Amino acid sequence: MRAELPVGGGAAQPDNTAGNLIAARRTPVGIAFGAGAARGWAHIGVVNRLIEAGIVPAAIAGTSIGALVGGCFAAGRIEKLEEFARSITRRRLFSFLDIAWRGSGLITGDRLRALLEDHLTGVTFEDLQLPFTCIATELMTGHEIWLRSGLVTPAIRASYALPGVFKPVRHDGKWLIDGAVVNPIPVSACRAMGSRLVIAVNLSTDVYGGTVIQHVPRPGPTMLSDNASQESRDSTLRKMLGRENDPGLTTVLVTAFNITQDRLSRSRLAGDPPDITIVPRTPSIGLFEFDRAAEAISAGRLAAERALPEIERSLALLEAVQT
């Protein structure tokens, strides 16, 4: 069963009523959906498995792709999002990358914005059936911005506005960029919303290590060859994404950003640890391989399955303390 939350107000209604949770018993759980680019489709699998097990969160918070999944879940659109994710092919993925020939990002994001608005037209935070906080970063000050009022779509767009790749989003008089710059896994936001048990979904622990490795040069040529004539024949998008053994500009930018994000996640989680961490195993999925949604979703389900015994024990302890 896939979970669908109903939407109030004048917002679009959920896709069907099979997963209507409005009368479901809410658990004192908050879920913090972390950043992680294409690996973020794993959040869908996590959500579906937890709801199947009867674990309905009382609050959710998300950063970057975590904000996209969290917002769609709270809006009753997780099934539509899953259908979209599973429909992505490499060819279709390229069609979403609208190049910005000038300005502050490589991709304008207009096509993605139009797609997002098709699914969440007119939906506000006030329409949602779950308290939802979307994390972004104010560009000029570095302040962590918690978005939880007004329209949901621009908040989500701001949260995934990866620096150098997407243009910053102007929202309520501020220029906002990816929330992962300051808070990749928003445990703190879930606690602020009153969650007694916080589950963090960490998409980077299984990918980036913290080991210091001493470099030992390999024998042979040390200079990389550069075939200028071949490079000139490559398309702009191919330059951005790179070839098999030659990372493109966007890959370099995003990978470096994600390494920094992983180190920041470790630091923040050490200071404000979640009660339970779910870690989908997706090390082979590249940051831009959004066409591998089926693998990521499956990994999310398996990770949630592994965590279920611990979650159920923790909930039982909470109930015992409250009675």
Side-chain angles (χ1 to χ4, degrees):
M1 180 186 83
R2 294 192 188 100
E4 290 297 328
L5 290 177
V7 182
Q13 294 301 307
D15 308 296
N16 58 62
T17 58
N20 191 327
L21 303 176
I22 195 167
R25 176 176 175 270
R26 300 285 173 80
T27 58
V29 169
I31 304 179
F33 295 106
R39 292 187 293 272
W41 293 141
H43 290 312
I44 297 172
V46 170
V47 163
N48 286 337
R49 184 64 192 96
L50 292 181
I51 299 302
E52 287 171 8
I55 298 170
V56 183
I60 51 178
T63 297
S64 199
I65 186 122
L68 172 62
V69 176
C72 288
F73 174 53
R77 291 294 180 176
I78 197 69
E79 184 173 283
K80 282 293 186 183
L81 181 65
E82 181 174 351
E83 290 174 2
F84 165 72
R86 290 181 181 276
S87 74
I88 296 176
T89 61
R90 181 54 61 100
R91 180 181 296 275
R92 191 179 185 198
L93 175 60
F94 273 77
S95 72
F96 292 129
L97 303 181
D98 42 358
I99 304 302
W101 298 108
R102 63 182 66 184
S104 50
L106 294 173
I107 301 171
T108 66
D110 290 341
R111 294 173 187 169
L112 290 174
R113 178 185 64 189
L115 186 67
L116 188 59
E117 289 177 346
D118 281 345
H119 292 288
L120 295 174
T121 301
V123 177
T124 68
F125 283 84
E126 293 72 24
D127 292 323
L128 305 178
Q129 293 298 310
L130 288 177
F132 170 54
T133 298
C134 188
I135 309 299
T137 304
E138 187 175 3
L139 178 62
M140 299 306 176
T141 64
H143 291 159
E144 180 176 337
I145 305 296
W146 292 8
L147 301 170
R148 40 191 183 182
S149 64
L151 290 172
V152 173
T153 296
I156 292 175
R157 287 180 52 234
S159 188
Y160 69 61
L162 187 68
V165 177
F166 290 105
K167 295 170 62 176
V169 174
R170 188 73 171 175
H171 186 66
D172 288 340
K174 300 180 178 66
W175 285 109
L176 302 181
I177 57 174
D178 200 315
V181 172
V182 291
N183 195 352
I185 309 172
V187 171
S188 54
C190 286
R191 295 214 187 280
M193 287 186 282
S195 301
R196 298 288 305 280
L197 182 74
V198 177
I199 300 172
V201 186
N202 189 340
L203 302 174
S204 62
T205 293
D206 200 43
V207 180
Y208 300 107
T211 305
V212 177
I213 300 176
Q214 181 177 351
H215 174 64
V216 179
R218 294 181 180 179
T222 58
M223 297 297 292
L224 295 175
S225 61
D226 180 24
N227 189 331
S229 61
Q230 179 63 40
E231 185 71 16
S232 66
R233 289 194 292 269
D234 285 345
S235 69
T236 302
L237 289 175
R238 188 63 63 189
K239 291 178 185 177
M240 289 172 57
L241 297 180
R243 295 183 294 271
E244 181 178 357
N245 296 312
D246 182 10
L249 173 60
T250 309
T251 300
V252 171
L253 284 173
V254 177
T255 302
F257 177 79
N258 275 272
I259 292 170
T260 304
Q261 168 196 306
D262 173 64
R263 299 303 187 268
L264 176 59
S265 296
R266 294 169 188 260
S267 176
R268 290 206 58 151
L269 293 180
D272 187 11
D275 299 290
I276 295 168
T277 301
I278 295 177
V279 183
R281 294 172 181 170
T282 57
S284 67
I285 298 178
L287 296 170
F288 285 103
E289 292 183 315
F290 289 94
D291 55 316
R292 297 176 64 183
E295 296 172 61
I297 293 169
S298 178
R301 288 187 64 90
L302 289 173
E305 184 72 37
R306 291 192 298 269
L308 277 176
E310 184 181 1
I311 296 171
E312 289 167 351
R313 283 194 298 269
S314 299
L315 286 172
L317 286 173
L318 273 179
E319 289 179 359
V321 169
Q322 292 172 352
T323 56

